[in-house]
Amino acid sequence: QKEVEQDPGPLSVPEGAIVSLNCTYSNSAFQYFMWYRQYSRKGPELLMYTYSSGNKEDGRFTAQVDKSSKYISLFIRDSQPSDSATYLCAMSASTFGNEKLTFGTGTRLTIIP
Amino acid sequence: DGGITQSPKYLFRKEGQNVTLSCEQNLNHDAMYWYRQDPGQGLRLIYYSQIVNDFQKGDIAEGYSVSREKKESFPLTVTSAQKNPTAFYLCASSIVRGRGTNEKLFFGSGTQLSVL
């Protein structure tokens, strides 16, 4: 079983819809949670960064962490064609730095105009 | 503009050949990383370096080598010992604030390596 599970998709939704992307994990020591967005044949860029449980909002994006269920989500409101990309979750335990980040496989998202 | 530059964008390797992927950053970051990305798999760490002249193996270092002679540069050599080198290679950098912190990773645009 992988430490981080992420549905690879592909996921296609119409423009303006609310998108929900999810990851589950098995390591209860994970406390730092990140979402990266990766356009085709480009490097990922950090979208959201959360610590421990709770919600964090940034514009149309909301990151949600439920440590009791070992489940994290990224919600995109009013989705735009420019949101079409692969979304990677990443997480780590508090005692380690970036060298111990564990990435999900990524979910490919397409927003249909 | 500050950023990370990877070259070349596409690279082809013949059997038995070593190839070197370039990674340069002008962000003044201390830490640099090499990841490999395969379809259906998450990013996997090959090597990382937190200071000049020092580097550490990641999860899949076999068949790869690196050097860190300058703060700005972290080249990756894919040796002939790497039997399955076809992948998208990503270089990243970050600041190093202290143990137990996850600073934002800045990624380059990647190099697609294929075997002829």
Side-chain angles (χ1 to χ4, degrees), chain A residues 2 32 36 38 41 43-44 46 49 92 94 96-99 101 103-105, chain B residues 33 37 40 42 45 48 50 88 90 94 100-105 107-109 112:
Chain A
K2 290 182 179 178
Y32 294 91
Y36 282 83
Q38 184 177 22
R41 312 319 281 170
L46 183 65
Y49 186 122
S92 75
S94 61
F96 300 108
N98 283 327
E99 64 271 18
L101 269 180
F103 284 86
T105 55
Chain B
Y33 310 81
Q37 188 173 33
L45 183 64
Y48 66 99
Q50 294 191 319
F88 191 55
L90 287 160
S94 73
T101 62
N102 301 99
E103 300 300 332
K104 176 180 177 180
L105 281 170
F107 284 89
S109 291
Q112 175 64 49

PDB file of all heavy atoms in Angstrom, chain A residues 2 32 36 38 41 43-44 46 49 92 94 96-99 101 103-105, chain B residues 33 37 40 42 45 48 50 88 90 94 100-105 107-109 112:
ATOM      1  N   LYS A   2       0.570   2.187  -0.884  1.00  0.00           N
ATOM      2  CA  LYS A   2       1.339   3.426  -0.930  1.00  0.00           C
ATOM      3  C   LYS A   2       1.032   4.260   0.292  1.00  0.00           C
ATOM      4  O   LYS A   2      -0.067   4.233   0.837  1.00  0.00           O
ATOM      5  CB  LYS A   2       0.963   4.213  -2.194  1.00  0.00           C
ATOM      6  CG  LYS A   2       1.446   3.578  -3.481  1.00  0.00           C
ATOM      7  CD  LYS A   2       1.077   4.457  -4.670  1.00  0.00           C
ATOM      8  CE  LYS A   2       1.565   3.839  -5.963  1.00  0.00           C
ATOM      9  NZ  LYS A   2       1.175   4.653  -7.146  1.00  0.00           N
ATOM     10  N   TYR A  32       2.413  18.314   7.784  1.00  0.00           N
ATOM     11  CA  TYR A  32       2.493  19.398   6.802  1.00  0.00           C
ATOM     12  C   TYR A  32       1.913  18.889   5.486  1.00  0.00           C
ATOM     13  O   TYR A  32       2.308  17.829   5.000  1.00  0.00           O
ATOM     14  CB  TYR A  32       3.948  19.822   6.587  1.00  0.00           C
ATOM     15  CG  TYR A  32       4.576  20.457   7.803  1.00  0.00           C
ATOM     16  CD1 TYR A  32       5.260  19.683   8.726  1.00  0.00           C
ATOM     17  CD2 TYR A  32       4.480  21.819   8.040  1.00  0.00           C
ATOM     18  CE1 TYR A  32       5.829  20.248   9.851  1.00  0.00           C
ATOM     19  CE2 TYR A  32       5.045  22.401   9.159  1.00  0.00           C
ATOM     20  CZ  TYR A  32       5.717  21.604  10.061  1.00  0.00           C
ATOM     21  OH  TYR A  32       6.273  22.169  11.169  1.00  0.00           O
ATOM     22  N   TYR A  36       0.363  21.066  -5.038  1.00  0.00           N
ATOM     23  CA  TYR A  36       1.111  21.655  -6.141  1.00  0.00           C
ATOM     24  C   TYR A  36       0.289  21.513  -7.418  1.00  0.00           C
ATOM     25  O   TYR A  36      -0.398  20.513  -7.627  1.00  0.00           O
ATOM     26  CB  TYR A  36       2.463  20.939  -6.338  1.00  0.00           C
ATOM     27  CG  TYR A  36       3.537  21.337  -5.362  1.00  0.00           C
ATOM     28  CD1 TYR A  36       3.619  20.761  -4.094  1.00  0.00           C
ATOM     29  CD2 TYR A  36       4.490  22.300  -5.713  1.00  0.00           C
ATOM     30  CE1 TYR A  36       4.615  21.133  -3.206  1.00  0.00           C
ATOM     31  CE2 TYR A  36       5.488  22.675  -4.818  1.00  0.00           C
ATOM     32  CZ  TYR A  36       5.537  22.085  -3.577  1.00  0.00           C
ATOM     33  OH  TYR A  36       6.533  22.458  -2.696  1.00  0.00           O
ATOM     34  N   GLN A  38       0.659  21.411 -11.590  1.00  0.00           N
ATOM     35  CA  GLN A  38       1.656  21.175 -12.635  1.00  0.00           C
ATOM     36  C   GLN A  38       0.989  21.211 -13.993  1.00  0.00           C
ATOM     37  O   GLN A  38       0.166  20.351 -14.322  1.00  0.00           O
ATOM     38  CB  GLN A  38       2.341  19.809 -12.419  1.00  0.00           C
ATOM     39  CG  GLN A  38       3.450  19.527 -13.407  1.00  0.00           C
ATOM     40  CD  GLN A  38       4.154  18.204 -13.134  1.00  0.00           C
ATOM     41  OE1 GLN A  38       3.608  17.311 -12.502  1.00  0.00           O
ATOM     42  NE2 GLN A  38       5.389  18.077 -13.615  1.00  0.00           N
ATOM     43  N   ARG A  41       4.164  19.217 -19.011  1.00  0.00           N
ATOM     44  CA  ARG A  41       5.595  19.323 -19.297  1.00  0.00           C
ATOM     45  C   ARG A  41       6.248  20.538 -18.637  1.00  0.00           C
ATOM     46  O   ARG A  41       7.186  21.123 -19.188  1.00  0.00           O
ATOM     47  CB  ARG A  41       5.853  19.335 -20.807  1.00  0.00           C
ATOM     48  CG  ARG A  41       5.124  18.258 -21.577  1.00  0.00           C
ATOM     49  CD  ARG A  41       5.114  16.939 -20.880  1.00  0.00           C
ATOM     50  NE  ARG A  41       6.369  16.198 -21.022  1.00  0.00           N
ATOM     51  CZ  ARG A  41       6.677  15.110 -20.360  1.00  0.00           C
ATOM     52  NH1 ARG A  41       5.848  14.601 -19.465  1.00  0.00           N
ATOM     53  NH2 ARG A  41       7.806  14.487 -20.552  1.00  0.00           N
ATOM     54  N   GLY A  43       7.324  22.288 -14.511  1.00  0.00           N
ATOM     55  CA  GLY A  43       7.546  21.940 -13.122  1.00  0.00           C
ATOM     56  C   GLY A  43       6.351  22.315 -12.259  1.00  0.00           C
ATOM     57  O   GLY A  43       5.610  23.243 -12.577  1.00  0.00           O
ATOM     58  N   PRO A  44       6.126  21.583 -11.160  1.00  0.00           N
ATOM     59  CA  PRO A  44       5.027  21.924 -10.249  1.00  0.00           C
ATOM     60  C   PRO A  44       5.260  23.286  -9.581  1.00  0.00           C
ATOM     61  O   PRO A  44       6.402  23.717  -9.416  1.00  0.00           O
ATOM     62  CB  PRO A  44       5.083  20.803  -9.200  1.00  0.00           C
ATOM     63  CG  PRO A  44       5.875  19.702  -9.824  1.00  0.00           C
ATOM     64  CD  PRO A  44       6.849  20.380 -10.741  1.00  0.00           C
ATOM     65  N   LEU A  46       3.785  25.561  -6.091  1.00  0.00           N
ATOM     66  CA  LEU A  46       3.029  25.425  -4.850  1.00  0.00           C
ATOM     67  C   LEU A  46       1.759  26.272  -4.889  1.00  0.00           C
ATOM     68  O   LEU A  46       1.789  27.455  -5.170  1.00  0.00           O
ATOM     69  CB  LEU A  46       3.899  25.855  -3.662  1.00  0.00           C
ATOM     70  CG  LEU A  46       3.274  25.693  -2.285  1.00  0.00           C
ATOM     71  CD1 LEU A  46       3.037  24.220  -1.960  1.00  0.00           C
ATOM     72  CD2 LEU A  46       4.156  26.332  -1.223  1.00  0.00           C
ATOM     73  N   TYR A  49      -0.501  25.475   1.289  1.00  0.00           N
ATOM     74  CA  TYR A  49       0.348  24.861   2.316  1.00  0.00           C
ATOM     75  C   TYR A  49      -0.421  24.954   3.621  1.00  0.00           C
ATOM     76  O   TYR A  49      -0.784  26.049   4.050  1.00  0.00           O
ATOM     77  CB  TYR A  49       1.666  25.639   2.384  1.00  0.00           C
ATOM     78  CG  TYR A  49       2.721  25.074   3.296  1.00  0.00           C
ATOM     79  CD1 TYR A  49       3.968  24.742   2.785  1.00  0.00           C
ATOM     80  CD2 TYR A  49       2.521  24.915   4.661  1.00  0.00           C
ATOM     81  CE1 TYR A  49       4.968  24.247   3.606  1.00  0.00           C
ATOM     82  CE2 TYR A  49       3.507  24.421   5.484  1.00  0.00           C
ATOM     83  CZ  TYR A  49       4.728  24.092   4.949  1.00  0.00           C
ATOM     84  OH  TYR A  49       5.719  23.599   5.774  1.00  0.00           O
ATOM     85  N   SER A  92       4.467  15.732   4.743  1.00  0.00           N
ATOM     86  CA  SER A  92       5.634  15.265   5.489  1.00  0.00           C
ATOM     87  C   SER A  92       5.347  15.331   6.983  1.00  0.00           C
ATOM     88  O   SER A  92       4.448  16.023   7.440  1.00  0.00           O
ATOM     89  CB  SER A  92       6.877  16.070   5.141  1.00  0.00           C
ATOM     90  OG  SER A  92       6.833  17.338   5.751  1.00  0.00           O
ATOM     91  N   SER A  94       6.581  16.336  10.859  1.00  0.00           N
ATOM     92  CA  SER A  94       7.128  17.612  11.323  1.00  0.00           C
ATOM     93  C   SER A  94       8.615  17.584  11.557  1.00  0.00           C
ATOM     94  O   SER A  94       9.259  18.610  11.564  1.00  0.00           O
ATOM     95  CB  SER A  94       6.428  18.049  12.606  1.00  0.00           C
ATOM     96  OG  SER A  94       6.634  17.079  13.620  1.00  0.00           O
ATOM     97  N   PHE A  96      10.981  16.392   9.744  1.00  0.00           N
ATOM     98  CA  PHE A  96      11.829  16.303   8.560  1.00  0.00           C
ATOM     99  C   PHE A  96      11.597  17.500   7.640  1.00  0.00           C
ATOM    100  O   PHE A  96      10.583  18.154   7.689  1.00  0.00           O
ATOM    101  CB  PHE A  96      11.544  15.010   7.796  1.00  0.00           C
ATOM    102  CG  PHE A  96      11.802  13.772   8.605  1.00  0.00           C
ATOM    103  CD1 PHE A  96      10.753  13.006   9.067  1.00  0.00           C
ATOM    104  CD2 PHE A  96      13.092  13.390   8.916  1.00  0.00           C
ATOM    105  CE1 PHE A  96      10.981  11.871   9.817  1.00  0.00           C
ATOM    106  CE2 PHE A  96      13.330  12.265   9.670  1.00  0.00           C
ATOM    107  CZ  PHE A  96      12.265  11.502  10.118  1.00  0.00           C
ATOM    108  N   GLY A  97      12.543  17.765   6.782  1.00  0.00           N
ATOM    109  CA  GLY A  97      12.422  18.847   5.817  1.00  0.00           C
ATOM    110  C   GLY A  97      11.967  18.334   4.474  1.00  0.00           C
ATOM    111  O   GLY A  97      11.384  17.266   4.348  1.00  0.00           O
ATOM    112  N   ASN A  98      12.231  19.117   3.443  1.00  0.00           N
ATOM    113  CA  ASN A  98      11.764  18.770   2.103  1.00  0.00           C
ATOM    114  C   ASN A  98      12.270  17.430   1.612  1.00  0.00           C
ATOM    115  O   ASN A  98      11.637  16.799   0.761  1.00  0.00           O
ATOM    116  CB  ASN A  98      12.176  19.858   1.114  1.00  0.00           C
ATOM    117  CG  ASN A  98      11.310  21.088   1.218  1.00  0.00           C
ATOM    118  OD1 ASN A  98      10.131  20.994   1.510  1.00  0.00           O
ATOM    119  ND2 ASN A  98      11.897  22.249   0.995  1.00  0.00           N
ATOM    120  N   GLU A  99      13.383  16.962   2.133  1.00  0.00           N
ATOM    121  CA  GLU A  99      13.920  15.689   1.643  1.00  0.00           C
ATOM    122  C   GLU A  99      13.040  14.511   2.045  1.00  0.00           C
ATOM    123  O   GLU A  99      13.213  13.413   1.523  1.00  0.00           O
ATOM    124  CB  GLU A  99      15.351  15.462   2.160  1.00  0.00           C
ATOM    125  CG  GLU A  99      15.479  15.325   3.660  1.00  0.00           C
ATOM    126  CD  GLU A  99      15.685  16.664   4.356  1.00  0.00           C
ATOM    127  OE1 GLU A  99      15.394  17.709   3.754  1.00  0.00           O
ATOM    128  OE2 GLU A  99      16.151  16.646   5.512  1.00  0.00           O
ATOM    129  N   LEU A 101       9.579  14.786   1.907  1.00  0.00           N
ATOM    130  CA  LEU A 101       8.253  14.992   1.327  1.00  0.00           C
ATOM    131  C   LEU A 101       7.817  13.750   0.578  1.00  0.00           C
ATOM    132  O   LEU A 101       8.598  13.151  -0.159  1.00  0.00           O
ATOM    133  CB  LEU A 101       8.271  16.156   0.338  1.00  0.00           C
ATOM    134  CG  LEU A 101       7.971  17.564   0.820  1.00  0.00           C
ATOM    135  CD1 LEU A 101       8.043  18.521  -0.354  1.00  0.00           C
ATOM    136  CD2 LEU A 101       6.633  17.648   1.498  1.00  0.00           C
ATOM    137  N   PHE A 103       5.009  12.564  -2.194  1.00  0.00           N
ATOM    138  CA  PHE A 103       4.060  13.103  -3.166  1.00  0.00           C
ATOM    139  C   PHE A 103       3.043  12.052  -3.559  1.00  0.00           C
ATOM    140  O   PHE A 103       3.347  10.855  -3.649  1.00  0.00           O
ATOM    141  CB  PHE A 103       4.808  13.545  -4.430  1.00  0.00           C
ATOM    142  CG  PHE A 103       5.557  14.834  -4.294  1.00  0.00           C
ATOM    143  CD1 PHE A 103       6.852  14.855  -3.792  1.00  0.00           C
ATOM    144  CD2 PHE A 103       4.984  16.039  -4.679  1.00  0.00           C
ATOM    145  CE1 PHE A 103       7.552  16.037  -3.659  1.00  0.00           C
ATOM    146  CE2 PHE A 103       5.688  17.235  -4.562  1.00  0.00           C
ATOM    147  CZ  PHE A 103       6.966  17.229  -4.050  1.00  0.00           C
ATOM    148  N   GLY A 104       1.819  12.512  -3.841  1.00  0.00           N
ATOM    149  CA  GLY A 104       0.844  11.665  -4.480  1.00  0.00           C
ATOM    150  C   GLY A 104       1.153  11.554  -5.969  1.00  0.00           C
ATOM    151  O   GLY A 104       2.032  12.246  -6.488  1.00  0.00           O
ATOM    152  N   THR A 105       0.413  10.697  -6.660  1.00  0.00           N
ATOM    153  CA  THR A 105       0.678  10.473  -8.082  1.00  0.00           C
ATOM    154  C   THR A 105       0.150  11.593  -8.966  1.00  0.00           C
ATOM    155  O   THR A 105       0.540  11.712 -10.117  1.00  0.00           O
ATOM    156  CB  THR A 105       0.047   9.154  -8.553  1.00  0.00           C
ATOM    157  OG1 THR A 105      -1.351   9.177  -8.222  1.00  0.00           O
ATOM    158  CG2 THR A 105       0.686   7.972  -7.867  1.00  0.00           C
TER     159      THR A 105
ATOM    160  N   TYR B  33      17.465  19.983  -5.188  1.00  0.00           N
ATOM    161  CA  TYR B  33      16.929  18.623  -5.212  1.00  0.00           C
ATOM    162  C   TYR B  33      16.783  18.146  -6.655  1.00  0.00           C
ATOM    163  O   TYR B  33      16.511  18.938  -7.548  1.00  0.00           O
ATOM    164  CB  TYR B  33      15.537  18.574  -4.559  1.00  0.00           C
ATOM    165  CG  TYR B  33      15.441  19.234  -3.212  1.00  0.00           C
ATOM    166  CD1 TYR B  33      15.304  20.617  -3.095  1.00  0.00           C
ATOM    167  CD2 TYR B  33      15.461  18.481  -2.043  1.00  0.00           C
ATOM    168  CE1 TYR B  33      15.214  21.226  -1.857  1.00  0.00           C
ATOM    169  CE2 TYR B  33      15.368  19.082  -0.793  1.00  0.00           C
ATOM    170  CZ  TYR B  33      15.243  20.461  -0.715  1.00  0.00           C
ATOM    171  OH  TYR B  33      15.147  21.059   0.509  1.00  0.00           O
ATOM    172  N   GLN B  37      10.024  11.835 -12.269  1.00  0.00           N
ATOM    173  CA  GLN B  37       8.569  11.708 -12.370  1.00  0.00           C
ATOM    174  C   GLN B  37       8.233  10.707 -13.467  1.00  0.00           C
ATOM    175  O   GLN B  37       8.618  10.898 -14.619  1.00  0.00           O
ATOM    176  CB  GLN B  37       7.922  13.072 -12.674  1.00  0.00           C
ATOM    177  CG  GLN B  37       6.409  13.044 -12.603  1.00  0.00           C
ATOM    178  CD  GLN B  37       5.806  14.429 -12.732  1.00  0.00           C
ATOM    179  OE1 GLN B  37       6.331  15.298 -13.431  1.00  0.00           O
ATOM    180  NE2 GLN B  37       4.691  14.657 -12.057  1.00  0.00           N
ATOM    181  N   GLY B  40       1.950   7.644 -13.406  1.00  0.00           N
ATOM    182  CA  GLY B  40       1.351   6.776 -12.397  1.00  0.00           C
ATOM    183  C   GLY B  40       2.123   6.698 -11.097  1.00  0.00           C
ATOM    184  O   GLY B  40       1.739   5.951 -10.193  1.00  0.00           O
ATOM    185  N   GLY B  42       4.279   9.106  -8.004  1.00  0.00           N
ATOM    186  CA  GLY B  42       4.579  10.428  -7.475  1.00  0.00           C
ATOM    187  C   GLY B  42       6.021  10.800  -7.745  1.00  0.00           C
ATOM    188  O   GLY B  42       6.820   9.963  -8.172  1.00  0.00           O
ATOM    189  N   LEU B  45      12.504  11.265  -4.985  1.00  0.00           N
ATOM    190  CA  LEU B  45      13.729  12.024  -4.755  1.00  0.00           C
ATOM    191  C   LEU B  45      14.948  11.195  -5.110  1.00  0.00           C
ATOM    192  O   LEU B  45      15.117  10.070  -4.621  1.00  0.00           O
ATOM    193  CB  LEU B  45      13.791  12.461  -3.286  1.00  0.00           C
ATOM    194  CG  LEU B  45      14.961  13.335  -2.871  1.00  0.00           C
ATOM    195  CD1 LEU B  45      14.911  14.682  -3.601  1.00  0.00           C
ATOM    196  CD2 LEU B  45      14.959  13.547  -1.367  1.00  0.00           C
ATOM    197  N   TYR B  48      19.736  15.135  -3.022  1.00  0.00           N
ATOM    198  CA  TYR B  48      19.540  16.497  -2.573  1.00  0.00           C
ATOM    199  C   TYR B  48      20.822  17.023  -1.940  1.00  0.00           C
ATOM    200  O   TYR B  48      21.678  16.258  -1.499  1.00  0.00           O
ATOM    201  CB  TYR B  48      18.350  16.618  -1.613  1.00  0.00           C
ATOM    202  CG  TYR B  48      18.521  15.916  -0.287  1.00  0.00           C
ATOM    203  CD1 TYR B  48      18.909  16.618   0.854  1.00  0.00           C
ATOM    204  CD2 TYR B  48      18.242  14.557  -0.166  1.00  0.00           C
ATOM    205  CE1 TYR B  48      19.038  15.977   2.077  1.00  0.00           C
ATOM    206  CE2 TYR B  48      18.367  13.907   1.058  1.00  0.00           C
ATOM    207  CZ  TYR B  48      18.763  14.618   2.174  1.00  0.00           C
ATOM    208  OH  TYR B  48      18.893  13.982   3.383  1.00  0.00           O
ATOM    209  N   GLN B  50      22.100  20.375   0.656  1.00  0.00           N
ATOM    210  CA  GLN B  50      21.710  21.531   1.467  1.00  0.00           C
ATOM    211  C   GLN B  50      22.828  22.545   1.597  1.00  0.00           C
ATOM    212  O   GLN B  50      22.617  23.629   2.156  1.00  0.00           O
ATOM    213  CB  GLN B  50      21.256  21.058   2.846  1.00  0.00           C
ATOM    214  CG  GLN B  50      19.972  20.225   2.776  1.00  0.00           C
ATOM    215  CD  GLN B  50      19.366  19.982   4.130  1.00  0.00           C
ATOM    216  OE1 GLN B  50      20.073  19.710   5.083  1.00  0.00           O
ATOM    217  NE2 GLN B  50      18.048  20.083   4.216  1.00  0.00           N
ATOM    218  N   PHE B  88      10.729  11.930 -16.711  1.00  0.00           N
ATOM    219  CA  PHE B  88      10.770  13.397 -16.667  1.00  0.00           C
ATOM    220  C   PHE B  88      11.523  13.762 -15.400  1.00  0.00           C
ATOM    221  O   PHE B  88      11.132  13.364 -14.304  1.00  0.00           O
ATOM    222  CB  PHE B  88       9.333  13.923 -16.657  1.00  0.00           C
ATOM    223  CG  PHE B  88       9.197  15.395 -16.864  1.00  0.00           C
ATOM    224  CD1 PHE B  88       9.751  16.017 -17.974  1.00  0.00           C
ATOM    225  CD2 PHE B  88       8.477  16.170 -15.967  1.00  0.00           C
ATOM    226  CE1 PHE B  88       9.609  17.376 -18.183  1.00  0.00           C
ATOM    227  CE2 PHE B  88       8.322  17.540 -16.162  1.00  0.00           C
ATOM    228  CZ  PHE B  88       8.888  18.138 -17.275  1.00  0.00           C
ATOM    229  N   LEU B  90      13.016  16.513 -12.746  1.00  0.00           N
ATOM    230  CA  LEU B  90      12.734  17.835 -12.213  1.00  0.00           C
ATOM    231  C   LEU B  90      13.774  18.228 -11.178  1.00  0.00           C
ATOM    232  O   LEU B  90      14.093  17.462 -10.273  1.00  0.00           O
ATOM    233  CB  LEU B  90      11.349  17.865 -11.563  1.00  0.00           C
ATOM    234  CG  LEU B  90      10.172  17.836 -12.530  1.00  0.00           C
ATOM    235  CD1 LEU B  90       8.911  17.388 -11.813  1.00  0.00           C
ATOM    236  CD2 LEU B  90       9.972  19.215 -13.150  1.00  0.00           C
ATOM    237  N   SER B  94      15.158  25.289  -2.580  1.00  0.00           N
ATOM    238  CA  SER B  94      14.433  25.935  -1.491  1.00  0.00           C
ATOM    239  C   SER B  94      15.437  26.578  -0.548  1.00  0.00           C
ATOM    240  O   SER B  94      16.625  26.257  -0.572  1.00  0.00           O
ATOM    241  CB  SER B  94      13.559  24.926  -0.726  1.00  0.00           C
ATOM    242  OG  SER B  94      14.364  24.073   0.075  1.00  0.00           O
ATOM    243  N   GLY B 100      13.283  20.436  10.546  1.00  0.00           N
ATOM    244  CA  GLY B 100      11.870  20.290  10.851  1.00  0.00           C
ATOM    245  C   GLY B 100      10.980  21.299  10.153  1.00  0.00           C
ATOM    246  O   GLY B 100       9.852  21.514  10.561  1.00  0.00           O
ATOM    247  N   THR B 101      11.492  21.920   9.107  1.00  0.00           N
ATOM    248  CA  THR B 101      10.636  22.857   8.367  1.00  0.00           C
ATOM    249  C   THR B 101      10.569  22.430   6.912  1.00  0.00           C
ATOM    250  O   THR B 101      11.488  21.827   6.385  1.00  0.00           O
ATOM    251  CB  THR B 101      11.176  24.295   8.432  1.00  0.00           C
ATOM    252  OG1 THR B 101      12.464  24.329   7.818  1.00  0.00           O
ATOM    253  CG2 THR B 101      11.272  24.785   9.855  1.00  0.00           C
ATOM    254  N   ASN B 102       9.459  22.722   6.317  1.00  0.00           N
ATOM    255  CA  ASN B 102       9.273  22.427   4.906  1.00  0.00           C
ATOM    256  C   ASN B 102       9.133  23.736   4.165  1.00  0.00           C
ATOM    257  O   ASN B 102       8.060  24.335   4.161  1.00  0.00           O
ATOM    258  CB  ASN B 102       8.021  21.581   4.686  1.00  0.00           C
ATOM    259  CG  ASN B 102       8.085  20.272   5.452  1.00  0.00           C
ATOM    260  OD1 ASN B 102       7.515  20.146   6.529  1.00  0.00           O
ATOM    261  ND2 ASN B 102       8.789  19.330   4.905  1.00  0.00           N
ATOM    262  N   GLU B 103      10.206  24.218   3.608  1.00  0.00           N
ATOM    263  CA  GLU B 103      10.142  25.468   2.879  1.00  0.00           C
ATOM    264  C   GLU B 103       9.657  25.203   1.456  1.00  0.00           C
ATOM    265  O   GLU B 103       9.848  24.136   0.902  1.00  0.00           O
ATOM    266  CB  GLU B 103      11.519  26.132   2.861  1.00  0.00           C
ATOM    267  CG  GLU B 103      12.064  26.440   4.237  1.00  0.00           C
ATOM    268  CD  GLU B 103      11.166  27.367   5.020  1.00  0.00           C
ATOM    269  OE1 GLU B 103      10.444  28.170   4.391  1.00  0.00           O
ATOM    270  OE2 GLU B 103      11.186  27.318   6.263  1.00  0.00           O
ATOM    271  N   LYS B 104       9.065  26.223   0.863  1.00  0.00           N
ATOM    272  CA  LYS B 104       8.474  26.106  -0.471  1.00  0.00           C
ATOM    273  C   LYS B 104       9.511  25.637  -1.470  1.00  0.00           C
ATOM    274  O   LYS B 104      10.619  26.178  -1.534  1.00  0.00           O
ATOM    275  CB  LYS B 104       7.911  27.453  -0.875  1.00  0.00           C
ATOM    276  CG  LYS B 104       7.335  27.522  -2.273  1.00  0.00           C
ATOM    277  CD  LYS B 104       6.817  28.935  -2.545  1.00  0.00           C
ATOM    278  CE  LYS B 104       6.300  29.065  -3.961  1.00  0.00           C
ATOM    279  NZ  LYS B 104       5.801  30.435  -4.226  1.00  0.00           N
ATOM    280  N   LEU B 105       9.151  24.632  -2.250  1.00  0.00           N
ATOM    281  CA  LEU B 105      10.005  24.154  -3.320  1.00  0.00           C
ATOM    282  C   LEU B 105       9.729  24.936  -4.594  1.00  0.00           C
ATOM    283  O   LEU B 105       8.575  25.137  -4.967  1.00  0.00           O
ATOM    284  CB  LEU B 105       9.731  22.671  -3.594  1.00  0.00           C
ATOM    285  CG  LEU B 105      10.342  21.639  -2.648  1.00  0.00           C
ATOM    286  CD1 LEU B 105       9.768  20.268  -2.933  1.00  0.00           C
ATOM    287  CD2 LEU B 105      11.854  21.619  -2.771  1.00  0.00           C
ATOM    288  N   PHE B 107      10.451  24.747  -8.593  1.00  0.00           N
ATOM    289  CA  PHE B 107      10.845  23.746  -9.579  1.00  0.00           C
ATOM    290  C   PHE B 107      11.266  24.384 -10.894  1.00  0.00           C
ATOM    291  O   PHE B 107      10.759  25.449 -11.291  1.00  0.00           O
ATOM    292  CB  PHE B 107       9.676  22.793  -9.871  1.00  0.00           C
ATOM    293  CG  PHE B 107       9.420  21.776  -8.792  1.00  0.00           C
ATOM    294  CD1 PHE B 107       8.573  22.068  -7.741  1.00  0.00           C
ATOM    295  CD2 PHE B 107      10.026  20.534  -8.848  1.00  0.00           C
ATOM    296  CE1 PHE B 107       8.336  21.135  -6.740  1.00  0.00           C
ATOM    297  CE2 PHE B 107       9.788  19.580  -7.849  1.00  0.00           C
ATOM    298  CZ  PHE B 107       8.942  19.896  -6.802  1.00  0.00           C
ATOM    299  N   GLY B 108      12.168  23.713 -11.592  1.00  0.00           N
ATOM    300  CA  GLY B 108      12.468  24.049 -12.968  1.00  0.00           C
ATOM    301  C   GLY B 108      11.420  23.448 -13.892  1.00  0.00           C
ATOM    302  O   GLY B 108      10.462  22.810 -13.440  1.00  0.00           O
ATOM    303  N   SER B 109      11.598  23.638 -15.189  1.00  0.00           N
ATOM    304  CA  SER B 109      10.609  23.171 -16.174  1.00  0.00           C
ATOM    305  C   SER B 109      10.834  21.736 -16.618  1.00  0.00           C
ATOM    306  O   SER B 109      10.071  21.224 -17.438  1.00  0.00           O
ATOM    307  CB  SER B 109      10.616  24.082 -17.408  1.00  0.00           C
ATOM    308  OG  SER B 109      10.088  25.348 -17.067  1.00  0.00           O
ATOM    309  N   GLN B 112      13.012  15.948 -20.231  1.00  0.00           N
ATOM    310  CA  GLN B 112      12.494  14.629 -20.596  1.00  0.00           C
ATOM    311  C   GLN B 112      13.648  13.813 -21.173  1.00  0.00           C
ATOM    312  O   GLN B 112      14.209  14.171 -22.203  1.00  0.00           O
ATOM    313  CB  GLN B 112      11.370  14.737 -21.625  1.00  0.00           C
ATOM    314  CG  GLN B 112      10.876  13.394 -22.143  1.00  0.00           C
ATOM    315  CD  GLN B 112      10.240  12.549 -21.061  1.00  0.00           C
ATOM    316  OE1 GLN B 112       9.383  13.015 -20.306  1.00  0.00           O
ATOM    317  NE2 GLN B 112      10.654  11.282 -20.969  1.00  0.00           N
TER     318      GLN B 112
END
